[in-house]
Amino acid sequence: MCPKDAQGACAVRVCSRYRRKGSPGPVAMAKRVLKGLLVLELAGVFGAFLLYRAMDGSQDFRYTMQKRFPSVLEVYYKSNEWAGIHGIREKDQVTWLSSKN
């Protein structure tokens, strides 16, 4: 609770004295949280880019992704189709079906 001044109003200036020394204020804390979220977002985008590059470069890796995370592979196929690159899904299916026989 904030101590009162002579008129009975909350003395905000006095309250700031009771804040722990060395603890950041609300603005500094918000900046730290925002920077943390930005770093986390950049790491996620970079990771997605690396995953896309790995799937784009290796059909064996795409086969592994099909077995473990089929929804991620579906996103890869859809993103290529939206970009105008067609035929990767069909080529993979033909290769994987012919290797089973």
Side-chain angles (χ1 to χ4, degrees), residues 66-99:
Q66 183 214 8
K67 294 296 179 190
R68 293 186 183 169
F69 306 105
S71 60
V72 174
L73 185 64
E74 183 64 27
V75 169
Y76 168 77
Y77 288 143
K78 287 285 185 184
S79 67
N80 279 327
E81 290 168 0
W82 287 338
I85 304 169
H86 300 282
I88 297 174
R89 181 193 313 256
E90 293 79 12
K91 190 185 328 179
D92 286 347
Q93 289 174 351
V94 167
T95 303
W96 295 336
L97 286 174
S98 66
S99 67

Side-chain angles (χ1 to χ4, degrees), residues 12-34:
V12 175
R13 195 171 57 235
V14 176
C15 283
S16 64
R17 289 187 211 160
Y18 293 107
R19 188 172 50 134
R20 283 192 300 157
K21 292 185 180 182
S23 66
V27 174
M29 183 67 77
K31 285 182 182 180
R32 287 180 59 198
V33 168
L34 186 62

Side-chain angles (χ1 to χ4, degrees), residues 41-57:
E41 185 74 23
L42 287 173
V45 168
F46 187 68
F49 174 73
L50 290 178
L51 182 64
Y52 177 83
R53 294 282 302 209
M55 283 193 288
D56 200 38

